[in-house]
Amino acid sequence: MIRVLLIFCLAIPACKTQRVEYHKRPAWHYTMDRNIADEIVQDDGTVVKYSTVGGTRSAAVSQYLDGIELRSEDEITGEVTLRAVLAEHILEQTLICLRDRDWDLLYDQVLSSATRENYESKEHGREEFHAFFNTYRKELGKTVQRLLRGKSFGDVTHKTVGNYTIITFAPGSLGNFKFHTVKLVREGEFLKLAVIE
């Protein structure tokens, strides 16, 4: 009995525990970085494995998204062009513009034509647009960030009505947000921001 116990005790130090964490990653992340890894090893040896949620990575979808440049910059003029295929693209672009306070990029590249025309029909429309996003920047950022994360947890609903995609909090998930809904509109093959309410 002592011999068996001694062998068992000598074998235990040879065992090594490896920590593995499983995380979920939104499918649209793969459209922003085509070389993103599904598994990484952190400095402490922890293996992090990612699975995809909120979309599909079929060969046809991947091939289509690989052919689209979501953000491009003209080398001569420095003008930035943004394109959004998925609702997540628009939400991410809006969040970046809010973070950077880049109201001109938001107005020129993210906003839908109809909404922009509505602002331009007013005497100080563009200034009104800037003032709105500047005043409610934090509240808008909170809403957009939660809408981006909430789909994975069932806290957000997506509904398509004609050319519009309506993203809103699910009943019971409204929380203390000033804004609850983002409406997107399809213009040709891309999505644009119609309204945040």
Side-chain angles (χ1 to χ4, degrees), residues 17 30 35 39 50 69 76 106 111 134-135 139-140 142 150 159 164 178-179 196:
T17 303
Y30 292 92
N35 300 318
E39 184 176 309
Y50 292 94
E69 197 171 5
I76 298 169
L106 185 63
L111 208 59
N134 203 41
T135 301
E139 290 86 353
L140 290 163
K142 236 171 88 172
K159 180 170 67 173
Y164 287 90
K178 183 173 183 65
F179 302 96
I196 301 176

Side-chain angles (χ1 to χ4, degrees), residues 25-28 52-56 86 88 151-152:
R25 176 185 284 150
W28 60 269
T52 307
V53 293
T56 178
L86 304 174
E88 289 85 352
K151 189 176 178 187
S152 304

Side-chain angles (χ1 to χ4, degrees), residues 126-168:
R126 194 161 182 138
E127 291 83 0
E128 182 184 317
F129 173 84
H130 287 201
F132 173 80
F133 278 90
N134 203 41
T135 301
Y136 296 108
R137 177 177 167 261
K138 287 184 182 177
E139 290 86 353
L140 290 163
K142 236 171 88 172
T143 296
V144 173
Q145 197 168 40
R146 186 69 183 110
L147 290 174
L148 264 170
R149 290 192 330 243
K151 189 176 178 187
S152 304
F153 301 104
D155 295 338
V156 172
T157 64
H158 282 229
K159 180 170 67 173
T160 303
V161 180
N163 280 343
Y164 287 90
T165 299
I166 301 164
I167 308 163
T168 190

